Amino acid sequence: MNSLIGRSTVLVAVAIASLLAATPARAQSDERAIVAAVTTFLDGIRTRDTSLMRSTVVSGATLVPVGGPTGLGAPSLAASSLSLNARAQDERGYSYGPVTEVDYIHVEYGHFDEYMAWVTSTWVPTMEAAKKAGLIIGYKVFQASPKSPDQPNVYLEITFKNMAAYAGDIGDQADAFEAVTEKVICNSACQDQARVHRNEIRKVLGTEVTRELVFK
C-alpha cells in the first residue's frame, strides 16, 4: 500500500506539473478541475477503490491501471505531458522572418569615392540581379562615422526571405548566388583579382547574420 501511495503521489505531481507547463491562463481556468481530480484520486488511494483512480482525469491525462489493480498508467500520463508541451510551443507569440547579412567595412581615408564607384558600378547591379532572380528581397548601403579607425564606416546589408534562402558560404542558395555574380561581374578568378585591389582601399571587419522575430 505504501508503495502504491508513493507511486501515485509522484504521478499526481507530474500531472499537475504538466498542466502548469501550459499557458498560465489555461492553468488558472482549470484550477477547480485540478483540485477535484486530485481529491478524487487520493480518495481512491485511501479507500483502495481502484474505480476512483480509474476515472480520475487531470488536464486530459487519464490515470489508468496497468498490470493489475495496484499499477498506474504512467505511459498514458507521459504521452499527455508531451502533448501539452507541444501545444505550449505552438502557442509561442512569434515566428521567424527575413534573414539579414551585414558586412562591416572600413574604407581607408581618401578612398571613399573610389570604393563607392565600385559599389554603384558592380555591387548594386549584382544585388538588383539577385533580387530579380528571387534570391534576395532587398539591400541597403549605410555610411557611418566610426569612433575609431578599427570600426566600420560603411555597412553593406542584404536581406533574404528566410534562412532557407540565405546565400552565405553555408547557405542553400550559395551556388545560385555565385552564378548571378559571375553573370553580372565576371568569373570567380576575375572577382578574386578585383578583391585584391579592393583590399588596398578597404578592410572587411566582419559579417553578421541576424534573423527577424515577427510577433503575432
Side-chain angles (χ1 to χ4, degrees):
M1 180 65 181
N2 291 335
S3 175
L4 173 60
I5 294 176
R7 294 178 59 190
S8 302
T9 304
V10 171
L11 288 174
V12 170
V14 172
I16 295 174
S18 299
L19 178 63
L20 294 179
T23 61
R26 178 180 177 183
Q28 184 176 6
S29 65
D30 288 353
E31 181 179 355
R32 293 182 179 178
I34 299 173
V35 174
V38 172
T39 300
T40 302
F41 184 72
L42 293 178
D43 285 343
I45 295 175
R46 285 193 294 268
T47 62
R48 299 188 181 186
D49 187 345
T50 57
S51 64
L52 288 178
M53 290 184 284
R54 272 194 200 95
S55 64
T56 300
V57 176
V58 180
S59 184
T62 303
L63 307 181
V64 293
V66 292
T70 60
L72 292 174
S76 175
L77 181 59
S80 177
S81 176
L82 291 174
S83 177
L84 285 173
N85 290 335
R87 191 181 304 118
Q89 291 177 3
D90 290 340
E91 292 173 355
R92 67 187 181 191
Y94 65 90
S95 60
Y96 293 112
V99 172
T100 299
E101 176 187 288
V102 180
D103 292 333
Y104 298 98
I105 310 295
H106 181 83
V107 179
E108 298 297 335
Y109 180 78
H111 293 280
F112 183 80
D113 289 341
E114 182 180 356
Y115 183 71
M116 284 298 106
W118 172 81
V119 169
T120 55
S121 67
T122 305
W123 191 81
V124 170
T126 302
M127 294 302 104
E128 285 292 337
K131 187 175 181 180
K132 185 177 181 180
L135 299 176
I136 67 174
I137 61 176
Y139 62 92
K140 294 180 181 179
V141 180
F142 298 91
Q143 182 183 12
S145 298
K147 297 179 181 179
S148 61
D150 60 344
Q151 293 184 333
N153 53 13
V154 173
Y155 298 82
L156 301 180
E157 180 181 292
I158 309 173
T159 302
F160 303 84
K161 182 179 180 180
N162 49 41
M163 190 60 75
Y166 177 57
D169 292 338
I170 60 173
D172 294 335
Q173 299 296 324
D175 292 340
F177 202 84
E178 183 63 25
V180 170
T181 60
E182 290 186 359
K183 183 177 181 179
V184 175
I185 307 174
C186 57
N187 59 35
S188 297
C190 174
Q191 292 182 54
D192 289 339
Q193 292 178 357
R195 290 190 186 98
V196 172
H197 172 67
R198 289 201 304 281
N199 286 339
E200 298 175 355
I201 65 173
R202 65 97 171 98
K203 294 179 181 178
V204 179
L205 302 181
T207 299
E208 184 177 25
V209 178
T210 61
R211 181 162 56 175
E212 181 181 356
L213 298 181
V214 181
F215 293 94
K216 299 178 181 178

